[in-house]
Amino acid sequence: MTHQFDRTALREYDIRGIVGKTLNTADAVAIGRGFATRVRRAGGTRVAVGYDGRTTSVALEEALVAGLTASGVDVVRVGMGPTPMLYYAEATLDVDGGIQITGSHNPAEYNGFKMVLQRRPFFGADIQDLARLAECGDWESGAGSVETVDIMDRYVERLMQGFAGGTYRIGWDAGNGAAGPVIEKLVKLLPGEHHLLFTDVDGDFPNHHPDPTEEKNLADLKALVADKQLDFGLAFDGDGDRIGAIDGLGRVIWGDQILSILAEPVLHAVPGAAIIADVKASQALFDRIAELGGVPVMWKTGHSLIKTKMKETAAPLAGEMSGHIFFAHDFYGFDDAQYAAVRLIRAVHMIGKSMTEIRGAMPELINTPEMRFQVDEARKFAVVGEVLDRLEAAGATVDRTDGARVTTPDGWWLLRASNTQDVLVARAEATSQESLDRLLAMIDAQLAASGLARGPQAGH
């Protein structure tokens, strides 16, 4: 028996597609068979499986379990919950890998699979290997067993170990995503006053799209914080691995700003440590880490790449502009928005100022949101290469960590190719609007030289 995947569903960091079009239950069976084969050939026997709250997740989970067991792996089902709960299961149960069925923050018609094997991210060549195994039917056979483990209460107790005091009035917006039930349990254990929004899991996302990095999705949380005069608000994406936050005035605290708050107590506990952020993060963050005595490390965007770099540098903390926050300090090194929320409360308490004061003291920089625009898949990396060649020929100050990040007296701008979509991503940051306009003009000039325009924005 062999199987062919729709190649568009095989992403760099996970498998993701539109259910019924580019992803189906036959794919789930094949993923199970391929992953189980990899587990067995690495000497393993057991895999944890979880799923998010999407309407298609239950059917995909059943098909995945059928594939895993048909290739002789025993399955530990941990049920519906956020992706980090599955990561926690993989880190603490006697298993050799884990798979979460999730569409992350994609629209409701999407779903997918995030995988981890022997405590390491399963991505890139690993995902392509599943396709190769399927195409030639190179699968192990067997009859694995299935058991169910209710891990949510244990997971919530583990989250609470990150708490170290502080009584606040907080708004929480789960966006009808898979984090909802965990948030409900968590706030019962936290002191203070907690107001919850949309913690009922609904895969149609009837209130707003569960992506806290888009400011429009924080409108309900801003209204709640203003109405109840709360200290701050926290928001979560569809599968609970990305966090968003606002202060008491409703100002967004972006991913890099969250990281700068979290870095302070971590660097107090681990002086001189490396703190990693992706290339989209503000220069203000890297400056702040250095100011706190840490070693700022700029790295490539992508949760699997960040996790790998953390192990290499022994960094206790890392984060991405997109709201993925990774704690290795007193935790397991994976991205967990619920744990980041608890640590953020702890950080505010330890810093000794209100969230609003902390946010107000941050440098006022003018920056663009992440600008994304469509480009032919075969051309996207080539364009970035052309831009790099021209910039270096002109003697520009360029960081090539992930695309082109160019520093000028006006600030910095970034152009990189997305690893997961047929888009180029641009961002710029400056101290004034005039400076920002000059940076954007530089981006436009480079795109024009490669026959492109910044033009229509592509969605996430």
Side-chain angles (χ1 to χ4, degrees):
M1 193 175 110
T2 62
H3 180 82
Q4 296 271 350
F5 291 103
D6 185 314
R7 285 285 177 169
T8 63
L10 306 178
R11 311 289 187 92
E12 178 66 13
Y13 313 119
D14 55 25
I15 296 171
R16 210 180 301 174
I18 298 171
V19 179
K21 288 188 179 173
T22 58
L23 194 67
N24 56 42
T25 51
D27 294 318
V29 173
I31 290 162
R33 296 212 63 171
F35 191 80
T37 298
R38 286 287 304 270
V39 168
R40 286 187 61 189
R41 288 174 185 172
T45 58
R46 279 159 59 87
V47 172
V49 173
Y51 60 94
D52 74 7
R54 288 169 185 259
T55 55
T56 54
S57 291
V58 171
L60 289 173
E61 193 256 7
E62 286 174 2
L64 176 71
V65 170
L68 288 164
T69 53
S71 284
V73 157
D74 297 331
V75 174
V76 181
R77 283 177 142 149
V78 299
M80 200 278 291
T83 295
M85 187 174 88
L86 182 276
Y87 292 158
Y88 169 74
E90 199 270 342
T92 60
L93 299 179
D94 179 21
V95 295
D96 307 292
I99 304 179
Q100 174 80 358
I101 291 147
T102 175
S104 188
H105 59 282
N106 276 74
E109 64 270 22
Y110 282 79
N111 216 326
F113 302 81
K114 290 182 180 175
M115 294 161 278
V116 57
L117 178 60
Q118 295 179 324
R119 312 288 184 264
R120 293 186 176 276
F122 189 92
F123 70 108
D126 294 314
I127 289 171
Q128 296 305 320
D129 191 44
L130 294 184
R132 183 190 63 76
L133 293 170
E135 278 164 16
C136 48
D138 180 17
W139 293 324
E140 298 290 323
S141 292
S145 65
V146 182
E147 65 176 299
T148 299
V149 174
D150 186 354
I151 202 169
M152 191 176 287
D153 287 340
R154 255 185 283 170
Y155 171 59
V156 172
E157 283 169 19
R158 182 64 186 85
L159 297 176
M160 279 300 296
Q161 289 175 30
F163 183 70
T167 303
Y168 300 98
R169 301 174 67 245
I170 305 171
W172 304 72
D173 183 349
N176 300 110
V182 167
I183 301 298
E184 287 177 354
K185 288 175 179 284
L186 181 62
V187 299
K188 286 179 178 154
L189 301 177
L190 287 167
E193 185 183 316
H194 303 279
H195 298 266
L196 307 186
L197 289 174
F198 317 132
T199 53
D200 54 313
V201 179
D202 187 332
D204 293 322
F205 308 120
N207 294 289
H208 62 75
H209 190 58
D211 181 356
T213 62
E214 299 233 0
E215 190 162 1
K216 64 183 181 187
N217 297 324
L218 298 172
D220 295 303
L221 185 61
K222 287 183 181 186
L224 175 69
V225 167
D227 179 48
K228 304 282 188 189
Q229 296 189 305
L230 304 180
D231 295 318
F232 53 95
L234 302 167
F236 304 85
D237 78 337
D239 71 328
D241 62 4
R242 300 191 307 140
I243 188 172
I246 60 171
D247 73 359
L249 299 178
R251 292 177 295 190
V252 179
I253 306 167
W254 299 105
D256 50 3
Q257 295 173 321
I258 292 171
L259 191 60
S260 77
I261 298 169
L262 293 168
E264 191 163 338
V266 169
L267 286 169
H268 184 73
V270 194
I275 307 283
I276 301 169
D278 73 333
V279 292
K280 293 185 282 189
S282 170
Q283 187 58 42
L285 168 65
F286 297 109
D287 293 346
R288 179 65 176 147
I289 292 167
E291 192 183 301
L292 291 166
V295 178
V297 177
M298 189 187 296
W299 195 237
K300 298 174 183 178
T301 295
H303 65 93
S304 300
L305 302 172
I306 297 267
K307 287 172 193 166
T308 305
K309 190 69 174 175
M310 283 182 86
K311 282 196 164 81
E312 188 187 304
T313 58
L317 176 66
E320 291 185 90
M321 197 66 207
S322 57
H324 287 278
I325 304 286
F326 311 78
F327 270 97
H329 180 250
D330 295 340
F331 206 58
Y332 307 96
F334 55 73
D335 39 338
D336 185 330
Q338 292 69 227
Y339 187 71
V342 174
R343 292 292 294 255
L344 192 58
I345 296 166
R346 167 173 162 179
V348 173
H349 172 65
M350 292 177 84
I351 291 167
K353 295 176 181 170
S354 72
M355 182 72 91
T356 305
E357 286 172 323
I358 294 168
R359 173 67 180 81
M362 290 179 181
E364 277 307 320
L365 297 166
I366 301 174
N367 43 43
T368 65
E370 197 174 281
M371 300 175 287
R372 306 164 77 84
F373 37 96
Q374 223 82 33
V375 61
D376 189 82
E377 182 73 31
R379 183 100 176 88
K380 67 182 186 184
F381 288 107
V383 169
V384 174
E386 291 163 16
V387 169
L388 282 165
D389 289 345
R390 285 193 297 269
L391 289 167
E392 291 187 343
T397 307
V398 186
D399 185 296
R400 302 179 71 121
T401 299
D402 185 3
R405 180 164 163 148
V406 183
T407 302
T408 82
D410 285 316
W412 63 269
W413 61 269
L414 171 75
L415 184 73
R416 61 179 288 274
S418 168
N419 283 314
T420 55
Q421 293 172 291
D422 54 348
V423 296
L424 287 172
V425 179
R427 191 162 187 259
E429 177 181 85
T431 51
S432 71
Q433 187 60 51
E434 295 75 24
S435 294
L436 190 68
D437 291 342
R438 284 193 288 270
L439 295 176
L440 290 171
M442 290 179 75
I443 296 174
D444 289 338
Q446 286 296 337
L447 290 171
S450 287
L452 295 173
R454 194 151 39 96
Q457 297 283 298
H460 282 272

